[in-house]
Amino acid sequence: MTVAVRFRRHLRRLLLLLASCCLLSLLLSAYFLFTNSSPSMQLGQSPEPACAQPLSMSPYHQLPYPYPPNPPHTHVHTDPVVLVLVESQYSQLGQDIVAILESAHFPPLLKLRGLPLVLRTNQALWDCCVVSSSPLLHLTKPGTDRGALPGEDWTSFSSNHSTYQAVLHARAKDGAGAGSGDNPGPGFSLGLQATVVQDMGLYDGVRRVLFGQGLGYWLHRLILVDAISYLTNRKLTLGLDRHILVDIDDIFVGKEGTRMNTKDVKVLLDTQRQLRSQISNFTFNLGFSGKFYHTGEHNIPVDMGYAVAPHHSGVYPVHLQLYKAWRRVWNIQVTSTEEYPHLKPARYRKGFIHNNIMISIFMTHLSNYGNDRLGLYTFVHLASFLRSWTNLKLHTLPPLQLAHKYFQLFPEQRNPLWQNPCDDKRHKDIWSKEKTCDRLPKFMVIGPQKTGTTALYLFLLMHPSISSNFPSPKTYEEVQFFNTNNYHKGIDWYMEFFPVPSNVTTDFLFEKSANYFPSEESPRRAAALLPKAKIITLLINPSDRAYSWYQHQRAHEDHAALQFTFYDVISARPGAPAELRSLQSRCLIPGLYSTHLERWLTYYPANQVMIIDGHQLRTDPATVMDEVQKFLGVTPHFNYSQALTFDPQKGFWCQLLEGGKTKCLGKSKGRKYPPMEPEAHAYLSRYYREHNVELSKLLHRLGQPLPSWLREELQKVSGIKLCDIHLGISL
Ligand SMILES: Nc1ncnc2c1ncn2[C@@H]1O[C@H](COP(=O)(O)OS(=O)(=O)O)[C@@H](OP(=O)(O)O)[C@H]1O
């Protein structure tokens, strides 16, 4: 089973668990809220500004970051299920819970039965401040947000139990609250309303963070980030270092009169000085592109290996010529894009490396025109906001180093994921007018090898509306785009393999690369570029497949295959020679059908995937081809019973030509070799047993019949009837 499949299963399980916990929490909350509304204590008010008060007696408030160890409750739940309670904007159930706390329909004072917590609802508050001693804080820096808080529906919390620790305090506008003589509880300051509290789990073993209003309030969002970190024991925490680079694009471009003048440059330098007080070495980056690059008049160094390449210059979708020109003429090693994979939403933007040019997303685009003061104001205030309210540390680096840093931080982004430029209007507009997105396959035969893929390929080409890719001009072999380094040659390279269809709606282009089936990368890459494509796979008995593949290797004079018997290959142990082990895995792994199929089904819906019984294609190709035509929706219907004939000499079905001649596959398909030894047969039956069981379950789930070879293999599985397997009883 692949990591992706396992992850999906875990995720599904986790979501179910979350949903059940939410439901339970909802019921409990509703029960508590409705069954007891008498306050157990008076709430206080203080004339002092918020957070100027001495803080609670909580045993934790003195403890510095990193967070204290788990509270001494014996059964503290640190499972992130509690996150759902605060994740109000993104989860329907969480929304309900926060809505309860915000609701204007409850009496002003509530006590939660079963929990030592009192809620005061529907308040107008002001002067909100972050409690500096809260152990929750990581990203958030203590400070006071003066003035009225938005809305008049705030809920505040008080308690006399040390499990609760205030995170945010505010003052009640109407003067309500605990009098100066009241005791608001150990976790709370006298006279202040706690609007966000952290439950350490000391009371009932459940750690929580309770918000007295939604996440519309900006400080709540900051606290939410810390709450997630706290509740997951820092598993979901980002570091505090951030890098910033500001490009001023094309400073010499723009109409006469709108370009930067001396005054603009002076203000720019002044801003740079201010920013340097907060970000050491901060330097505005002069971006150059287009025809003004390298004009040299201004004596500004431009050989930094970097050029701004905004979307209109075609960084993504990739124009290969541009990359080559950059490299050759200006030795560009890094540029930036805001289009990959799409312009919006900005948080999904990524970088990638193509043709040794790093394309990263650090570009923050300042206007290239004169008189721009707003941009400068924004950057200065952004930096001071971050310094005042967060513990983030801002750094800067020159573009090249920053790009290296970027891919060091996000190595998974190095490899691009190509998409169809015509699926996004902005991409299409950038895409060259001479290019078309119609030179892409509508369906693919993905393998695995030795299952009859070439026969299927030949039969498909007999159909008047179906055409395939051109063979590789160098190797005459399959394209192998999605599973090899060919992928890094880009989609232009791939499209060159296909003819321009004469009729886009009726013509069916396809590609057959038999190694796509077991490849880890192929399904994700194929689905990104060809999400609507239909996928055809052929399965024969994996033992026969392995044997045919071994014979194929021998015919190609593979050194190890000639040296070792088939049994040696399939039964090689971990300490065997590397050459043998490599041959073994290439021989056996493609036959783990259920694993590979599950991966394809992660990226493609089941109705786009056709699983053909390769044995049936061999014995009754006309019936299979009828089903294939139906699956593809291709017209006109082609009569394969008339077009194919069994060739007794070849021992296989072949194309019937005029005059009764036949066109069969070459010598390399349908080879003559001795039958597999019984010992190897038995070994492989055992080896593939579990996987065949998994395959039968998968086919059952998809509502597909079991091929006869699979039935036979399953019958060898002792004591287990097929119907048991279908019912999901494991062996
Ligand atoms: N009609 C017809 N003609 C010839 N061969 C046929 C046909 N139908 C199925 N087969 C079986 O296809 C096997 C080769 O599979 P592939 O074409 O997928 O092989 S490859 O991966 O492309 O090398 C090949 O395997 P071998 O018998 O081991 O050569 C054949 O058994």
Side-chain angles (χ1 to χ4, degrees):
M1 195 188 307
T2 64
V3 175
V5 173
R6 234 181 280 149
F7 176 73
R8 262 169 64 96
R9 283 195 185 157
H10 283 308
L11 195 70
R12 222 179 293 145
R13 246 179 262 149
L14 185 68
L15 283 174
L16 266 172
L17 190 71
L18 287 177
S20 344
C21 286
C22 270
L23 208 62
L24 194 69
S25 304
L26 250 177
L27 291 171
L28 282 173
S29 305
Y31 174 68
F32 289 142
L33 286 168
F34 287 108
T35 49
N36 197 337
S37 62
S38 63
S40 68
M41 63 180 87
Q42 287 270 291
L43 297 166
Q45 183 211 12
S46 160
E48 293 297 316
C51 291
Q53 294 285 328
L55 281 159
S56 70
M57 293 139 53
S58 159
Y60 293 104
H61 76 269
Q62 303 281 10
L63 292 176
Y65 182 82
Y67 302 137
N70 278 345
H73 192 281
T74 40
H75 304 293
V76 171
H77 296 284
T78 53
D79 194 312
V81 283
V82 272
L83 283 178
V84 177
L85 298 178
V86 288
E87 206 190 5
S88 67
Q89 286 196 328
Y90 312 103
S91 119
Q92 196 50 53
L93 289 163
Q95 181 85 44
D96 289 348
I97 290 163
V98 174
I100 288 172
L101 299 185
E102 283 175 12
S103 173
H105 305 299
F106 294 111
L109 291 178
L110 291 170
K111 184 176 179 301
L112 296 183
R113 203 168 78 174
L115 287 180
L117 191 67
V118 175
L119 274 63
R120 182 182 178 80
T121 59
N122 300 316
Q123 299 177 86
L125 300 175
W126 88 109
D127 285 353
C128 189
C129 72
V130 181
V131 176
S132 59
S133 60
S134 166
L136 183 93
L137 303 182
H138 172 49
L139 175 79
T140 316
K141 216 178 202 177
T144 303
D145 181 25
R146 300 216 176 260
L149 299 188
E152 305 210 321
D153 55 350
W154 285 76
T155 297
S156 65
F157 308 91
S158 54
S159 173
N160 56 10
H161 196 285
S162 61
T163 190
Y164 298 107
Q165 172 82 36
V167 181
L168 274 192
H169 271 155
R171 292 203 291 172
K173 218 171 186 179
D174 60 6
S180 51
D182 297 324
N183 175 13
F188 301 89
S189 289
L190 194 68
L192 295 174
Q193 310 295 312
T195 63
V196 176
V197 292
Q198 163 185 3
D199 181 345
M200 310 285 198
L202 301 177
Y203 184 75
D204 62 357
V206 178
R207 302 199 305 166
R208 306 174 177 88
V209 179
L210 298 158
F211 287 75
Q213 229 235 24
L215 296 174
Y217 179 48
W218 68 271
L219 250 175
H220 278 190
R221 292 180 185 215
L222 223 49
I223 300 286
L224 175 71
V225 176
D226 284 345
I228 290 170
S229 168
Y230 164 74
L231 294 172
T232 59
N233 277 342
R234 297 203 69 206
K235 278 187 203 118
L236 291 178
T237 304
L238 289 174
L240 295 171
D241 291 307
R242 297 288 184 281
H243 288 80
I244 181 165
L245 182 70
V246 180
D247 268 329
I248 298 148
D249 181 24
D250 275 343
I251 58 168
F252 308 116
V253 185
K255 285 193 198 114
E256 204 68 48
T258 64
R259 295 182 199 167
M260 281 189 166
N261 56 35
T262 315
K263 226 162 113 196
D264 295 322
V265 175
K266 280 189 174 148
V267 182
L268 193 71
L269 287 171
D270 188 45
T271 307
Q272 184 169 279
R273 260 190 300 278
Q274 285 182 57
L275 283 167
R276 279 184 179 175
S277 67
Q278 300 179 39
I279 310 161
S280 68
N281 295 328
F282 177 84
T283 306
F284 280 112
N285 195 49
L286 301 183
F288 301 87
S289 72
K291 62 182 174 174
F292 292 90
Y293 189 87
H294 244 207
T295 46
E297 274 171 48
H298 307 277
N299 254 349
I300 298 171
V302 289
D303 54 352
M304 305 172 295
Y306 171 75
V308 177
H311 61 89
H312 46 261
S313 63
V315 165
Y316 188 80
V318 162
H319 291 288
L320 214 57
Q321 300 86 335
L322 189 73
Y323 282 71
K324 282 190 185 146
W326 272 337
R327 203 86 186 122
R328 196 169 318 144
V329 183
W330 302 314
N331 191 28
I332 296 298
Q333 295 160 66
V334 55
T335 180
S336 48
T337 181
E338 39 185 19
E339 283 289 342
Y340 174 76
H342 298 288
L343 184 69
K344 285 175 185 164
R347 66 181 181 280
Y348 290 144
R349 282 182 215 160
K350 290 179 176 171
F352 62 98
I353 302 178
H354 185 54
N355 262 20
N356 290 328
I357 294 182
M358 292 177 279
I359 295 102
S360 57
I361 57 161
F362 53 67
M363 184 179 76
T364 311
H365 208 143
L366 191 64
S367 163
N368 45 344
Y369 304 115
N371 303 314
D372 180 6
R373 300 293 181 268
L374 186 60
L376 299 177
Y377 175 92
T378 307
F379 286 118
V380 171
H381 283 80
L382 169 77
S384 67
F385 171 83
L386 291 178
R387 196 184 48 173
S388 313
W389 284 100
T390 75
N391 291 315
L392 292 177
K393 291 179 205 79
L394 286 180
H395 310 275
T396 191
L397 281 172
L400 198 55
Q401 279 118 291
L402 193 55
H404 282 295
K405 180 97 203 159
Y406 183 85
F407 289 108
Q408 210 179 314
L409 287 170
F410 306 105
E412 72 287 353
Q413 287 189 20
R414 288 166 169 269
N415 291 336
L417 195 62
W418 308 127
Q419 292 166 89
N420 187 333
C422 300
D423 287 348
D424 181 315
K425 195 188 165 319
R426 281 179 65 102
H427 291 175
K428 196 174 173 191
D429 291 346
I430 301 163
W431 195 234
S432 158
K433 296 247 175 323
E434 280 132 47
K435 293 182 186 176
T436 164
C437 298
D438 302 327
R439 296 177 74 180
L440 285 172
K442 272 191 192 162
F443 71 96
M444 291 200 295
V445 178
I446 59 167
Q449 275 187 303
K450 312 316 291 178
T451 53
T453 56
T454 319
L456 178 64
Y457 178 85
L458 176 78
F459 300 160
L460 283 164
L461 285 182
M462 291 162 64
H463 194 288
S465 304
I466 297 179
S467 5
S468 79
N469 57 290
F470 309 121
S472 159
K474 279 187 199 143
T475 61
Y476 291 94
E477 296 281 333
E478 298 167 340
V479 185
Q480 311 244 15
F481 177 64
F482 296 109
N483 61 322
T484 64
N485 275 340
N486 285 336
Y487 187 73
H488 298 291
K489 294 177 180 160
I491 54 174
D492 280 345
W493 181 89
Y494 185 51
M495 287 185 181
E496 284 292 312
F497 279 90
F498 294 91
V500 180
S502 52
N503 184 331
V504 175
T505 37
T506 57
D507 288 5
F508 277 68
L509 294 181
F510 83 103
E511 191 224 330
K512 170 245 180 197
S513 286
N515 280 320
Y516 286 164
F517 179 78
S519 137
E520 290 271 342
E521 294 281 17
S522 292
R524 192 169 65 99
R525 288 173 171 178
L529 184 62
L530 311 166
K532 304 261 165 60
K534 297 211 168 157
I535 305 297
I536 299 181
T537 175
L538 287 143
L539 304 181
I540 61 170
N541 190 324
S543 311
D544 295 341
R545 198 215 73 83
Y547 190 51
S548 166
W549 187 86
Y550 167 78
Q551 295 297 343
H552 176 92
Q553 295 307 113
R554 282 176 70 85
H556 282 81
E557 297 184 356
D558 177 279
H559 182 254
L562 291 176
Q563 210 184 335
F564 296 99
T565 66
F566 182 55
Y567 190 81
D568 289 341
V569 174
I570 57 175
S571 62
R573 305 233 150 237
E579 193 190 23
L580 179 59
R581 292 281 289 164
S582 151
L583 190 74
Q584 181 190 44
S585 67
R586 286 179 295 135
C587 181
L588 296 179
I589 286 175
L592 309 178
Y593 294 150
S594 59
T595 305
H596 305 305
L597 272 173
E598 288 288 7
R599 196 185 307 112
W600 281 93
L601 289 166
T602 310
Y603 292 95
Y604 281 97
N607 64 0
Q608 277 175 241
V609 179
M610 182 180 194
I611 303 164
I612 295 176
D613 174 4
H615 287 287
Q616 195 192 357
L617 180 78
R618 192 168 159 166
T619 52
D620 182 12
T623 305
V624 170
M625 294 313 290
D626 278 351
E627 279 162 22
V628 170
Q629 291 185 77
K630 222 187 290 161
F631 168 71
L632 295 175
V634 63
T635 51
H637 179 262
F638 186 75
N639 191 341
Y640 280 95
S641 345
Q642 283 174 10
L644 296 175
T645 187
F646 187 79
D647 185 323
Q649 219 172 343
K650 174 80 181 166
F652 285 93
W653 285 80
C654 301
Q655 185 178 356
L656 180 62
L657 301 176
E658 276 179 29
K661 286 193 172 168
T662 56
K663 183 181 164 193
C664 301
L665 295 184
K667 271 191 278 174
S668 64
K669 313 290 160 186
R671 285 195 179 93
K672 306 269 181 273
Y673 43 79
M676 197 190 318
E677 285 167 4
E679 198 189 14
H681 229 303
Y683 184 94
L684 287 177
S685 272
R686 273 200 310 278
Y687 179 85
Y688 285 120
R689 188 174 58 190
E690 303 255 317
H691 293 278
N692 285 337
V693 170
E694 286 306 313
L695 177 66
S696 74
K697 287 182 192 165
L698 190 153
L699 293 175
H700 183 68
R701 196 178 83 214
L702 299 179
Q704 300 223 12
L706 300 192
S708 51
W709 60 264
L710 183 55
R711 287 182 172 276
E712 280 160 27
E713 284 297 331
L714 292 175
Q715 270 149 17
K716 291 184 198 163
V717 176
S718 56
I720 301 287
K721 289 193 219 106
L722 281 183
C723 58
D724 291 340
I725 290 162
H726 287 165
L727 288 171
I729 295 168
S730 59
L731 290 168

